[in-house]
Amino acid sequence: MSHVDSPGAQFYISCGQLRITGSGGGSPGPLVSIPGVYTGQEPGIKLDIYWPVPATYVQPGPAVWSG
């Protein structure tokens, strides 16, 4: 993000490499829908990266599935 006013947040798309292992028998959750999961008011979205420089970051969205 590079803008504090929503709408106006700028998303910078990136990619990652994953190695999936195991039986594949899990059931991840909670599941979310896009669009719909974000309101634009989440601390990790409504963020000014320039001033004051953030000391912490709260990732928007549901918790990462640990199953």
Side-chain angles (χ1 to χ4, degrees):
M1 304 301 137
S2 68
H3 199 279
V4 295
D5 296 321
S6 178
Q10 297 177 4
F11 291 87
Y12 297 97
I13 306 301
S14 62
C15 63
Q17 297 180 359
L18 305 174
R19 181 186 338 178
I20 309 299
T21 62
S23 66
S27 297
L31 302 177
V32 298
S33 296
I34 298 175
V37 66
Y38 305 115
T39 66
Q41 300 301 311
E42 291 80 0
I45 293 177
K46 196 168 176 85
L47 172 73
D48 186 345
I49 63 171
Y50 299 110
W51 189 260
V53 176
T56 61
Y57 178 73
V58 177
Q59 179 175 321
V64 176
W65 182 57
S66 64

